[in-house]
Amino acid sequence: MERSRLPLLLSHLSVRPVSSQFFSGTPVSLSCWDNGAPSGQTLRRNTSLDVRTPCDHWGQAHASFCVFSFTVPLDSGVYWCESRDEVAGDVINITVTDALVILQSPALPVTEGQNVTLTCKTKAPPSDLPAAFYKDGFLVGTELTRHMTIQRVSKSNEGTYRCDISGMGESPSSWIRVTGNSPGEPTARPLPPDSTHMQLVLRLICHLVVFCPYCISTALLVLLYQHRARGGNRSVSMATDSTNQAEKGLAAYDVGTVGVS
């Protein structure tokens, strides 16, 4: 049988707790399900350290679950369930942070017409400070309860969200995707791209950002030194010329004095 004719057995990727952002140290479990039962598909991830690696390389496999007993920022990345014919079902982005604030939002795509609640959560004990919510960099609301509900979401609600609590900081950003698929219907999609090249590009940019100011400051110092050196040479030259002219004038005076005598 040709590979292209194999049936697409897609799985739902389940995440517990239900969120796309987590504080460092939070236990997290993921699993692949099909019609309420374990699908037997492979859970893989791309991170800054891993490329298409299965659960047993970075987590603890328990029956149909893959468990992080203690998450760290290096666990941030893309996670998905992969079938034997290398088709990915649900793909999610997970962010693990050392920040004091996170945004709890759906990790999976949400269906048009559903209500979606965003929660701005703090690592420290709760306070009475309100939370400001942003979409694509623009303020969309401030809530004393730190919860914001989007009623009957549509494609216009799709975007990048974050929250901010004054005096405590802001959360990382999370992308909320809105789909027209009915609930319970995973979407077939190609495998996530190899993140190696992207990591190399990001590292190169970071090195350039750090190194370029040093190069510019060094060049400015060299130019300043050369400018001062040229100015010093001109001063010495002008002083020498003045001395020579004085000596010539003195010599002429001596000659004139001798002639008069």
Side-chain angles (χ1 to χ4, degrees):
M1 181 181 294
E2 296 181 3
R3 179 171 172 169
S4 60
R5 295 181 181 177
L6 291 174
L8 300 181
L9 302 177
L10 303 180
S11 290
H12 287 289
L13 177 55
S14 174
V15 186
R16 296 291 184 273
V18 180
S19 181
S20 60
Q21 295 183 14
F22 303 96
F23 293 119
S24 294
T26 303
V28 177
S29 67
L30 303 96
S31 57
C32 300
W33 291 82
D34 182 20
N35 294 325
S39 66
Q41 296 188 357
T42 302
L43 182 63
R44 297 184 183 273
R45 77 176 188 179
N46 284 349
T47 68
S48 59
L49 299 179
D50 305 309
V51 177
R52 295 192 64 244
T53 52
C55 168
D56 54 4
H57 286 210
W58 40 265
Q60 299 174 345
H62 297 284
S64 60
F65 293 89
C66 186
V67 179
F68 293 99
S69 57
F70 190 94
T71 52
V72 296
L74 288 175
D75 291 317
S76 300
V78 181
Y79 292 75
W80 72 96
C81 297
E82 185 177 313
S83 64
R84 292 181 180 179
D85 52 350
E86 297 186 351
V87 174
D90 294 322
V91 178
I92 65 171
N93 286 279
I94 287 179
T95 300
V96 182
T97 179
D98 289 325
L100 297 178
V101 179
I102 62 171
L103 176 67
Q104 289 186 324
S105 61
L108 296 172
V110 295
T111 306
E112 286 186 304
Q114 290 183 326
N115 296 337
V116 175
T117 299
L118 308 179
T119 301
C120 201
K121 186 176 181 180
T122 60
K123 193 171 187 178
S127 68
D128 296 331
L129 296 174
F133 293 87
Y134 296 83
K135 175 181 179 289
D136 299 330
F138 296 95
L139 180 66
V140 293
T142 301
E143 300 291 341
L144 292 174
T145 61
R146 301 185 184 179
H147 301 280
M148 185 181 76
T149 300
I150 306 173
Q151 303 287 341
R152 299 185 58 83
V153 296
S154 63
K155 278 290 186 179
S156 64
N157 298 119
E158 193 170 76
T160 302
Y161 289 80
R162 65 178 175 86
C163 68
D164 180 274
I165 297 178
S166 178
M168 301 192 71
E170 66 179 32
S171 72
S173 297
S174 286
W175 175 262
I176 293 182
R177 191 167 70 87
V178 180
T179 178
N181 290 353
S182 60
E185 183 182 347
T187 304
R189 58 185 81 254
L191 296 178
D194 189 331
S195 62
T196 303
H197 298 299
M198 181 60 68
Q199 293 297 327
L200 291 175
V201 172
L202 291 177
R203 288 176 183 174
L204 176 60
I205 293 174
C206 290
H207 286 306
L208 289 175
V209 169
V210 172
F211 190 65
C212 283
Y214 171 78
C215 293
I216 294 172
S217 60
T218 301
L220 290 175
L221 287 174
V222 171
L223 291 174
L224 181 61
Y225 174 79
Q226 291 177 345
H227 176 73
R228 289 183 175 179
R230 286 195 295 268
N233 291 336
R234 284 197 295 269
S235 299
V236 171
S237 176
M238 291 174 64
T240 302
D241 291 343
S242 299
T243 302
N244 291 337
Q245 290 177 4
E247 289 176 350
K248 289 180 181 179
L250 182 59
Y253 174 78
D254 290 342
V255 172
T257 303
V258 172
V260 170
S261 299

PDB file of all heavy atoms in Angstrom, residues 11 33 122 140 152 170 189 197 224:
ATOM      1  N   SER A  11      -4.912  12.504  16.405  1.00  0.00           N
ATOM      2  CA  SER A  11      -5.190  12.468  17.834  1.00  0.00           C
ATOM      3  C   SER A  11      -5.327  13.874  18.394  1.00  0.00           C
ATOM      4  O   SER A  11      -4.782  14.829  17.855  1.00  0.00           O
ATOM      5  CB  SER A  11      -4.056  11.741  18.573  1.00  0.00           C
ATOM      6  OG  SER A  11      -4.054  10.365  18.283  1.00  0.00           O
ATOM      7  N   TRP A  33      -4.937  11.376  22.540  1.00  0.00           N
ATOM      8  CA  TRP A  33      -6.191  10.645  22.681  1.00  0.00           C
ATOM      9  C   TRP A  33      -6.944  10.607  21.358  1.00  0.00           C
ATOM     10  O   TRP A  33      -6.862  11.521  20.552  1.00  0.00           O
ATOM     11  CB  TRP A  33      -7.081  11.310  23.745  1.00  0.00           C
ATOM     12  CG  TRP A  33      -6.530  11.174  25.134  1.00  0.00           C
ATOM     13  CD1 TRP A  33      -5.569  11.946  25.713  1.00  0.00           C
ATOM     14  CD2 TRP A  33      -6.879  10.189  26.093  1.00  0.00           C
ATOM     15  NE1 TRP A  33      -5.297  11.516  26.979  1.00  0.00           N
ATOM     16  CE2 TRP A  33      -6.101  10.433  27.248  1.00  0.00           C
ATOM     17  CE3 TRP A  33      -7.796   9.126  26.103  1.00  0.00           C
ATOM     18  CZ2 TRP A  33      -6.196   9.642  28.391  1.00  0.00           C
ATOM     19  CZ3 TRP A  33      -7.895   8.358  27.257  1.00  0.00           C
ATOM     20  CH2 TRP A  33      -7.097   8.620  28.379  1.00  0.00           C
ATOM     21  N   THR A 122      -0.362  35.008  39.153  1.00  0.00           N
ATOM     22  CA  THR A 122       0.907  35.415  39.758  1.00  0.00           C
ATOM     23  C   THR A 122       1.514  34.247  40.527  1.00  0.00           C
ATOM     24  O   THR A 122       0.808  33.389  41.067  1.00  0.00           O
ATOM     25  CB  THR A 122       0.714  36.595  40.719  1.00  0.00           C
ATOM     26  OG1 THR A 122      -0.185  36.200  41.770  1.00  0.00           O
ATOM     27  CG2 THR A 122       0.149  37.798  39.989  1.00  0.00           C
ATOM     28  N   VAL A 140      -6.712  45.794  25.702  1.00  0.00           N
ATOM     29  CA  VAL A 140      -8.097  45.424  25.393  1.00  0.00           C
ATOM     30  C   VAL A 140      -8.979  45.400  26.632  1.00  0.00           C
ATOM     31  O   VAL A 140     -10.202  45.264  26.518  1.00  0.00           O
ATOM     32  CB  VAL A 140      -8.158  44.049  24.691  1.00  0.00           C
ATOM     33  CG1 VAL A 140      -7.537  44.123  23.311  1.00  0.00           C
ATOM     34  CG2 VAL A 140      -7.482  42.972  25.537  1.00  0.00           C
ATOM     35  N   ARG A 152     -18.119  34.484  22.623  1.00  0.00           N
ATOM     36  CA  ARG A 152     -18.355  34.012  21.245  1.00  0.00           C
ATOM     37  C   ARG A 152     -17.198  34.437  20.324  1.00  0.00           C
ATOM     38  O   ARG A 152     -17.355  35.313  19.466  1.00  0.00           O
ATOM     39  CB  ARG A 152     -19.690  34.540  20.721  1.00  0.00           C
ATOM     40  CG  ARG A 152     -20.885  34.076  21.533  1.00  0.00           C
ATOM     41  CD  ARG A 152     -22.202  34.524  20.907  1.00  0.00           C
ATOM     42  NE  ARG A 152     -22.345  34.021  19.535  1.00  0.00           N
ATOM     43  CZ  ARG A 152     -22.780  32.804  19.220  1.00  0.00           C
ATOM     44  NH1 ARG A 152     -23.104  31.947  20.182  1.00  0.00           N
ATOM     45  NH2 ARG A 152     -22.882  32.432  17.964  1.00  0.00           N
ATOM     46  N   GLU A 170       5.034  41.521  33.603  1.00  0.00           N
ATOM     47  CA  GLU A 170       4.121  41.058  32.564  1.00  0.00           C
ATOM     48  C   GLU A 170       4.404  39.608  32.226  1.00  0.00           C
ATOM     49  O   GLU A 170       5.493  39.073  32.482  1.00  0.00           O
ATOM     50  CB  GLU A 170       4.231  41.923  31.310  1.00  0.00           C
ATOM     51  CG  GLU A 170       5.558  41.839  30.599  1.00  0.00           C
ATOM     52  CD  GLU A 170       5.598  42.685  29.356  1.00  0.00           C
ATOM     53  OE1 GLU A 170       4.941  43.742  29.325  1.00  0.00           O
ATOM     54  OE2 GLU A 170       6.311  42.293  28.396  1.00  0.00           O
ATOM     55  N   ARG A 189      -2.106  18.503   9.892  1.00  0.00           N
ATOM     56  CA  ARG A 189      -1.173  19.556   9.509  1.00  0.00           C
ATOM     57  C   ARG A 189       0.203  18.930   9.336  1.00  0.00           C
ATOM     58  O   ARG A 189       0.498  17.867   9.891  1.00  0.00           O
ATOM     59  CB  ARG A 189      -1.143  20.668  10.555  1.00  0.00           C
ATOM     60  CG  ARG A 189      -0.764  20.223  11.921  1.00  0.00           C
ATOM     61  CD  ARG A 189      -0.874  21.367  12.928  1.00  0.00           C
ATOM     62  NE  ARG A 189      -2.259  21.547  13.353  1.00  0.00           N
ATOM     63  CZ  ARG A 189      -3.014  22.542  12.955  1.00  0.00           C
ATOM     64  NH1 ARG A 189      -2.558  23.444  12.123  1.00  0.00           N
ATOM     65  NH2 ARG A 189      -4.252  22.658  13.385  1.00  0.00           N
ATOM     66  N   HIS A 197      17.607  25.496  12.567  1.00  0.00           N
ATOM     67  CA  HIS A 197      18.041  26.671  11.807  1.00  0.00           C
ATOM     68  C   HIS A 197      17.531  27.949  12.459  1.00  0.00           C
ATOM     69  O   HIS A 197      18.245  28.952  12.511  1.00  0.00           O
ATOM     70  CB  HIS A 197      17.536  26.572  10.361  1.00  0.00           C
ATOM     71  CG  HIS A 197      18.087  25.392   9.614  1.00  0.00           C
ATOM     72  ND1 HIS A 197      19.438  25.242   9.395  1.00  0.00           N
ATOM     73  CD2 HIS A 197      17.478  24.314   9.063  1.00  0.00           C
ATOM     74  CE1 HIS A 197      19.643  24.108   8.718  1.00  0.00           C
ATOM     75  NE2 HIS A 197      18.462  23.540   8.513  1.00  0.00           N
ATOM     76  N   LEU A 224      38.592  59.044  17.372  1.00  0.00           N
ATOM     77  CA  LEU A 224      38.871  60.136  18.300  1.00  0.00           C
ATOM     78  C   LEU A 224      40.367  60.257  18.575  1.00  0.00           C
ATOM     79  O   LEU A 224      40.927  61.356  18.617  1.00  0.00           O
ATOM     80  CB  LEU A 224      38.103  59.898  19.611  1.00  0.00           C
ATOM     81  CG  LEU A 224      38.262  60.968  20.698  1.00  0.00           C
ATOM     82  CD1 LEU A 224      37.762  62.314  20.181  1.00  0.00           C
ATOM     83  CD2 LEU A 224      37.502  60.561  21.953  1.00  0.00           C
TER      84      LEU A 224
END
